[in-house]
Amino acid sequence: MTSRNPRDSRLRLVGPRPLAAAPRAVTQRRSRRPAPRPPEGTPPPAELAGMARTRLADAARVAHWADAALRPGREGATSDGKGTLSDTTAERAAADLGLTVAQVRADWDTARLAGLVEVHGDSARPGWRLRAWNRDDSAVLRGWVAFFDAWSLAYPEPEDHQHAAVAEVVSAMPQVLSFLQLSAGPVPVEQLLDLLAQRVTELRTERCEIPYVPPVAHHPPYEEALRAAPSDSHPVEAPDQNSVEDTPLAPLLDWALDALAYVGALTCADGQATLTPLGSWAVWVKLEQICVAAQSPAGNIEQNAEDMLRGCAQLRPNAARAEYRAWLAARTVGSAVTELLDAARGEDALLRGLAFEALRVVGAPAEPDVRAAADETPLRPYALLWLAEHDGTDPEDAHEVLTRQEATWLWVDTAAAVADHGEAPLLVRHLESAVQPTVPALLDEVRAVGHPRTVQVLVALAAAHPDPALARAVRRAAFQVHTGGS
């Protein structure tokens, strides 16, 4: 095995309840605490969203063009399963938008990484972030953060370098970024190179399982979170350690800085690197392990199903169920069930789980429509669980009605909801609810299931997981899905 391949780490097996209850777990929160304030000088969210819209404007333009011109889901991509634009489609887009074919393909790739478009087999369709692009600053910021997390996929890897060395640099960059954020100003690239070399050396020490106790006071929280590897982890063998260790880091740092500049996280000039306001804010968010939560709209009962569910997303389960009952009481059963299922068919995985929670409140009158929804791939796991519970199966055992593939699809869908709306630790804990006993088995089946959010989920999990070796394995899997490699 190479250092970029998954360890054969055993996942801690848990009871079936987490899988059956996973969609509702997204809405559960710890006790409330005052929201941390961003560093002084951080622009307000509306201004940050404006910067993100500017950086992703070209990607959004191509995504909107595809939405209007191609009727997404029919002719937008080739049959390679990666959502690559066909030559004919790329040429048509270039002619309509006044761009080159290369620009169209680059913007399309950015749109996929930012979740503006989602690939479904040999077709693509607009993501929920694109639908909310002009009205929801939170959706825009989340799209940019997804692009930021995928910086190593968004920019071509340097040629003639060991993949293991590239992976080490990617794993070490969070410390570099946290140092830039805490510095709050330009930092010489030479200083960053020294820091990178120190972190890479530590990664190699950890990989060799030689005990190493870092001086805690010298390491920021973001880097400390990445250090917290499980004590029962197994060493990963590198294919040619001498050649990896001999790889010069300066060209790889230049590549990483160029890639981060490409996504809009930093700027480089006169031998110095500086985080942009967006980049500084994003790193601060990760340092504080918080997320930009969607605001709950006022007057949930009067809203349509989608807005009502968004409003209930921040409520505890009992309060949400009371809100569902009030919303249902103001509507006929038939129209309410139709609205909820339409919301479940949308691009936001969190709303999909919440919609079926609301349908549990409806009960028996929803059964015919839910049974019909079981024929639709995105809704099938949720519908089967609903039907099993409706038929009297204990919720603890309802998961047994799902096939392995359906359970894996639900795991990825729930992970997408957590990545979009939950905190990083919750995403890491979600790993424990997988039915696969090992990380390699999970990654293999996640790749095979073909969920449209697979790349974004794996990138988010790699960014959040504290075990550097496991994070590398997950990031490698994301790269393979993104490029269609094996």
Side-chain angles (χ1 to χ4, degrees):
M1 294 177 65
T2 70
S3 60
R4 297 194 73 182
N5 286 339
R7 298 181 180 188
D8 191 17
S9 305
R10 302 293 297 182
L11 294 179
R12 181 163 64 86
L13 297 180
V14 296
R17 182 63 176 175
L19 181 58
R24 69 197 76 172
V26 179
T27 61
Q28 296 176 353
R29 295 290 188 269
R30 300 171 183 158
S31 58
R32 293 184 180 275
R33 63 180 177 85
R37 293 181 177 274
E40 184 177 354
T42 300
E47 188 174 339
L48 289 169
M51 298 174 186
R53 282 189 178 93
T54 298
R55 174 59 190 88
L56 296 174
D58 292 340
R61 184 185 179 198
V62 169
H64 279 301
W65 174 88
D67 186 16
L70 299 178
R71 296 182 178 270
R74 297 184 183 179
E75 301 174 348
T78 64
S79 58
D80 61 3
K82 297 183 293 180
T84 305
L85 288 180
S86 66
D87 292 340
T88 300
T89 301
E91 290 169 2
R92 178 181 171 190
D96 289 351
L97 299 176
L99 302 172
T100 66
V101 170
Q103 288 173 321
V104 168
R105 292 194 183 281
D107 293 340
W108 179 261
D109 198 46
T110 297
R112 286 192 294 156
L113 292 176
L116 300 180
V117 293
E118 295 179 356
V119 177
H120 296 257
D122 61 352
S123 63
R125 65 188 185 192
W128 71 272
R129 289 170 182 155
L130 185 68
R131 297 301 192 202
W133 191 251
N134 295 321
R135 59 179 172 82
D136 189 342
D137 289 346
S138 173
V140 174
L141 287 172
R142 288 183 180 280
W144 183 83
V145 169
F147 186 45
F148 165 68
D149 282 341
W151 64 266
S152 60
L153 302 181
Y155 200 77
E157 280 192 16
E159 297 180 357
D160 302 325
H161 282 91
Q162 288 273 351
H163 289 306
V166 174
E168 287 176 340
V169 170
V170 172
S171 297
M173 284 307 293
Q175 184 188 20
V176 175
L177 289 170
S178 64
F179 181 76
L180 279 167
Q181 198 276 335
L182 295 173
S183 298
V187 176
V189 173
E190 287 298 324
Q191 189 173 356
L192 297 180
L193 182 59
D194 290 341
L195 182 63
L196 177 66
Q198 174 187 338
R199 180 58 182 145
V200 167
T201 298
E202 292 171 359
L203 289 172
R204 292 169 180 168
T205 300
E206 293 167 0
R207 185 173 61 232
C208 294
E209 300 297 314
I210 298 174
Y212 175 80
V213 180
V216 175
H218 292 277
H219 297 284
Y222 188 21
E223 192 246 342
E224 283 298 309
L226 293 174
R227 283 180 178 283
S231 59
D232 60 347
S233 57
H234 302 288
V236 176
E237 298 178 2
D240 187 351
Q241 194 58 37
N242 289 335
S243 62
V244 172
E245 294 183 358
D246 291 340
T247 301
L249 293 179
L252 293 178
L253 176 61
D254 289 343
W255 163 74
L257 295 178
D258 287 344
L260 288 161
Y262 176 76
V263 301
L266 55 76
T267 59
C268 282
D270 301 325
Q272 294 184 317
T274 309
L275 288 179
T276 64
L278 263 179
S280 178
W281 167 80
V283 175
W284 172 79
V285 167
K286 293 179 181 301
L287 286 167
E288 295 296 331
Q289 294 188 329
I290 65 172
C291 65
V292 181
Q295 295 297 314
S296 174
N300 293 322
I301 295 174
E302 300 177 2
Q303 303 298 322
N304 60 31
E306 180 176 340
D307 290 338
M308 181 273 294
L309 293 172
R310 289 191 190 282
C312 292
Q314 301 304 311
L315 301 179
R316 293 186 177 277
N318 287 340
R321 280 191 289 272
E323 191 77 353
Y324 300 152
R325 292 189 188 97
W327 185 85
L328 291 166
R331 290 159 179 78
T332 63
V333 172
S335 65
V337 170
T338 298
E339 262 195 82
L340 289 170
L341 287 174
D342 285 342
R345 294 185 180 97
E347 308 302 330
D348 193 338
L350 174 61
L351 297 192
R352 195 152 30 252
L354 294 177
F356 277 86
E357 288 297 311
L359 288 168
R360 285 179 172 86
V361 175
V362 176
E367 180 181 1
D369 293 302
V370 173
R371 197 170 295 280
D375 293 332
E376 302 176 41
T377 299
L379 305 186
R380 181 170 177 79
Y382 297 91
L384 292 178
L385 290 175
W386 189 98
L387 291 168
E389 293 180 28
H390 177 68
D391 291 339
T393 303
D394 190 309
E396 297 280 351
D397 302 322
H399 73 287
E400 295 177 1
V401 305
L402 302 180
T403 65
R404 184 75 163 244
Q405 184 177 20
E406 290 162 352
T408 303
W409 178 283
L410 179 60
W411 187 91
V412 179
D413 208 48
T414 305
V418 177
D420 286 341
H421 300 280
E423 297 179 353
L426 184 58
L427 182 61
V428 174
R429 290 198 297 273
H430 179 60
L431 186 64
E432 299 175 352
S433 70
V435 296
Q436 293 78 8
T438 66
V439 172
L442 172 64
L443 295 180
D444 287 343
E445 294 188 31
V446 164
R447 286 197 295 261
V449 81
H451 193 288
R453 293 292 302 280
T454 297
V455 171
Q456 288 87 355
V457 163
L458 293 178
V459 168
L461 180 58
H465 206 283
D467 183 351
L470 190 146
R472 284 195 297 274
V474 175
R475 191 180 300 110
R476 175 63 175 169
F479 181 82
Q480 290 170 343
V481 175
H482 178 63
T483 60
S486 58

